[in-house]
Amino acid sequence: AVASSPAPLADTSILLLLVLTHYDNPMPQGNPFRQALNTCRDTDYDVQSPHGDGHAASQAVIRVPFGPLFDIIGLCLVDDRSTLLLYS
């Protein structure tokens, strides 16, 4: 018998994030979801462009508090999916 998960929506969400992150898009512009994730910046260590030219301000940036995010993911490291998401 298959054990039911206490949080099936969370399990499905993790799998969706992993698929979106690791999908290899053959288009020249690449994986847009991965590109969006690459713009994530920690709200505690938000640094402007080192050149001072405002280049960082012209690019859309997602600001996320990484500390609490890693704490929550760390509490869920009971299976391979959570670990893979943490290192993605």
Side-chain angles (χ1 to χ4, degrees):
V2 176
S4 64
S5 170
L9 182 61
D11 290 341
T12 303
S13 298
I14 286 176
L15 291 174
L16 178 62
L17 284 172
L18 288 171
V19 167
L20 289 173
T21 303
H22 293 284
Y23 173 69
D24 188 22
N25 191 347
M27 302 299 284
Q29 63 269 22
N31 182 336
F33 188 78
R34 190 180 310 159
Q35 291 172 356
L37 284 178
N38 285 336
T39 66
C40 285
R41 301 291 179 260
D42 192 352
T43 54
D44 294 336
Y45 298 100
D46 191 19
V47 179
Q48 295 296 324
S49 173
H51 304 293
D53 56 3
H55 185 341
S58 66
Q59 182 182 11
V61 174
I62 301 169
R63 289 182 174 76
V64 179
F66 284 179
L69 179 65
F70 287 136
D71 290 342
I72 294 297
I73 293 175
L75 292 174
C76 303
L77 292 178
V78 295
D79 61 6
D80 293 338
R81 294 174 295 190
S82 302
T83 307
L84 184 58
L85 183 63
L86 178 64
Y87 287 104
S88 293

